[in-house]
């Protein structure tokens, strides 16, 4: 059922990007690959695949002032082993390996996914190195960052740890991975949003889509948000250039987000129903045990005949329970 839903979402969101564009060339490379892609590109990834915008985002996060976009080396894996868990953006700068992920749904499993991503990246980075030799093989220092704009209320910043997922909790762990999650919804991390206008405008656009979708069809909500943002100078150039693709991807992302929320709610409801059933069964067993103890007490007291009245008189039954301390 879930796989069918994913196929429907993917087929409903197929978009053709302009030939020759940076993003278009990426799509052409994917089409020529023998590996089947099972993910759909995200709007966040589309916007920040532009090196100039990515450098501005990096500067805003790290409070640096790099000016040359060519200092960035984007190394997002296009044919990763874990095809259903594609990382949004990975790049190198100043001997650091930065992995950026956008999330509209809160998940404690992100550090585990990051571990898989960075393992693949290090394998590529060190493929020509002698890992069995005596010489130290140096690798870029990793940083894991999550940009969150989901509907679930979260603080401005959270630290997610791989160790939180371990079955056995220990005082010290032999393997740890920390990921910082930043809430980029309007009203959160205002200093960061002001430092990176494109991130702020992206936040505003996605917020409008979500808000309008509560009252209109999803397609109408996306179209309205795009039109308004262009008129107000919000992501204007990007939205004008990639209007059709943005509309397609936005519909897909929102539909996927809504589907995931529904799945979680169904799972919670199933859990609550299972709990209620278990509670009813537990209550039934306790009731039977309590009644058996009362019958035994009445029999020992030579008053077993009172059990007939107790069976048809709830108040008298409770009185007997209290009398015998049951």
């Amino acid at each position: 059922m879930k796989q069918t839903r994913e196929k429907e979402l993917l087929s409903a969101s197929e978009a053709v990007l302009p030939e020759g564009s940076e993003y278009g060339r990426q799509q052409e490379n994917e089409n020529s690959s023998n590996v089947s892609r099972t993910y759909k590109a995200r709007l966040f990834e589309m916007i920040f695949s532009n090196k100039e915008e990515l450098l501005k985002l990096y500067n805003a996060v790290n409070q640096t002032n790099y000016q040359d976009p060519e200092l960035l080396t984007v190394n997002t894996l296009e044919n990763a082993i874990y095809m259903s868990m594609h990382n949004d953006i990975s790049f190198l700068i100043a001997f650091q390996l930065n992995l950026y992920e956008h999330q509209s749904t809160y998940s404690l499993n992100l550090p585990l996914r990051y571990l898989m991503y960075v393992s693949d990246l290090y394998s590529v980075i060190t493929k020509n190195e002698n890992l069995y030799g005596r010489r130290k093989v140096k690798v870029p220092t990793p940083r894991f960052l999550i940009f969150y704009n989901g509907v679930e209320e979260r603080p401005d910043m959270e630290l997610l740890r791989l160790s939180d997922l371990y079955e056995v909790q220990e005082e010290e762990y032999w393997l740890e991975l920390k990921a910082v999650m930043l809430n980029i919804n309007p009203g959160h991390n205002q200093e960061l949003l002001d430092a990176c206008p494109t991130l702020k405008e992206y936040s505003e656009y996605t917020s409008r889509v979500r808000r309008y979708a509560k009252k209109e069809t999803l397609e109408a909500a996306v179209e309205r948000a795009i039109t308004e943002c262009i008129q107000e100078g919000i992501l204007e150039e990007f939205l004008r250039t990639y209007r059709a693709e943005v509309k397609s991807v936005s519909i897909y992302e929102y539909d996927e987000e809504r589907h995931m929320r529904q799945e979680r709610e169904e799972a919670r409801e199933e859990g609550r129903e299972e709990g209620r059933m278990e509670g009813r069964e537990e209550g039934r067993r306790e009731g039977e045990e309590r009644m058996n103890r009362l019958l035994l007490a009445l029999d020992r007291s030579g008053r077993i005949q009172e059990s007939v009245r107790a069976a048809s008189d709830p108040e008298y039954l409770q009185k007997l329970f209290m009398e015998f301390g049951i």
Side-chain angles (χ1 to χ4, degrees), residues 7-226:
K7 290 179 180 178
E8 290 175 353
L9 291 174
L10 287 168
S11 63
S13 63
E14 289 301 327
V16 178
L17 293 162
E19 294 184 3
S21 68
E22 182 175 354
Y23 199 75
R25 285 193 295 273
Q26 176 183 327
Q27 294 295 93
E28 291 169 7
N29 291 336
E30 291 173 7
N31 293 336
S32 63
S33 170
N34 292 325
V35 182
S36 173
R37 305 306 293 264
T38 60
Y39 71 88
K40 183 66 179 177
R42 307 293 182 178
L43 186 58
F44 180 90
E45 180 185 357
M46 289 176 63
I47 294 172
F48 291 103
S49 63
N50 180 296
K51 279 189 174 183
E52 291 184 5
E53 297 297 346
L54 184 56
L55 183 60
K56 292 176 185 176
L57 178 60
Y58 175 85
N59 281 334
V61 169
N62 295 280
Q63 298 181 345
T64 51
N65 192 33
Y66 291 104
Q67 298 297 317
D68 185 5
E70 293 309 311
L71 292 172
L72 291 172
T73 301
V74 177
N75 63 343
T76 307
L77 289 178
E78 297 302 333
N79 294 316
I81 295 173
Y82 300 97
M83 300 306 296
S84 62
M85 295 191 297
H86 170 72
N87 175 235
D88 287 340
I89 298 174
S90 172
F91 63 97
L92 293 160
I93 185 173
F95 306 105
Q96 293 175 352
L97 175 60
N98 299 272
L99 284 84
Y100 286 179
E101 184 84 1
H102 162 262
Q103 285 291 305
S104 59
T105 55
Y106 179 68
S107 173
L108 292 172
N109 297 318
L110 278 164
L112 180 57
R113 287 165 51 184
Y114 265 138
L115 177 64
M116 296 175 180
Y117 301 151
V118 77
S119 296
D120 284 348
L121 285 165
Y122 278 153
S123 294
V124 173
I125 291 170
T126 61
K127 64 181 179 181
N128 295 322
E129 300 287 347
N130 179 12
L131 300 181
Y132 298 93
R134 293 175 58 86
R135 185 177 65 85
K136 183 186 296 185
V137 176
K138 293 190 175 183
V139 293
T141 304
R143 289 187 174 182
F144 308 98
L145 206 58
I146 305 153
F147 297 90
Y148 170 81
N149 71 338
V151 297
E152 182 179 338
E153 187 61 38
R154 306 302 309 177
D156 279 9
M157 184 175 73
E158 291 181 73
L159 184 63
L160 306 183
R161 295 180 175 85
L162 178 65
S163 59
D164 291 337
L165 304 177
Y166 290 158
E167 289 279 4
V168 178
Q169 297 294 299
E170 301 175 347
E171 291 186 5
E172 186 175 349
Y173 299 98
W174 289 35
L175 177 63
E176 181 64 285
L177 186 151
K178 301 175 183 178
V180 174
M181 187 172 80
L182 299 174
N183 190 337
I184 59 169
N185 278 306
H188 293 271
N189 283 305
Q190 194 60 49
E191 186 176 347
L192 170 63
L193 296 179
D194 289 340
C196 184
T198 301
L199 183 66
K200 184 176 183 178
E201 292 172 13
Y202 165 76
S203 173
E204 176 61 27
Y205 167 75
T206 55
S207 177
R208 291 193 187 198
V209 171
R210 188 176 289 135
R211 186 166 68 249
Y212 298 156
K214 293 179 180 179
K215 301 178 181 179
E216 307 172 19
T217 65
L218 180 54
E219 184 173 357
V222 170
E223 184 63 35
R224 178 183 173 186
I226 292 174

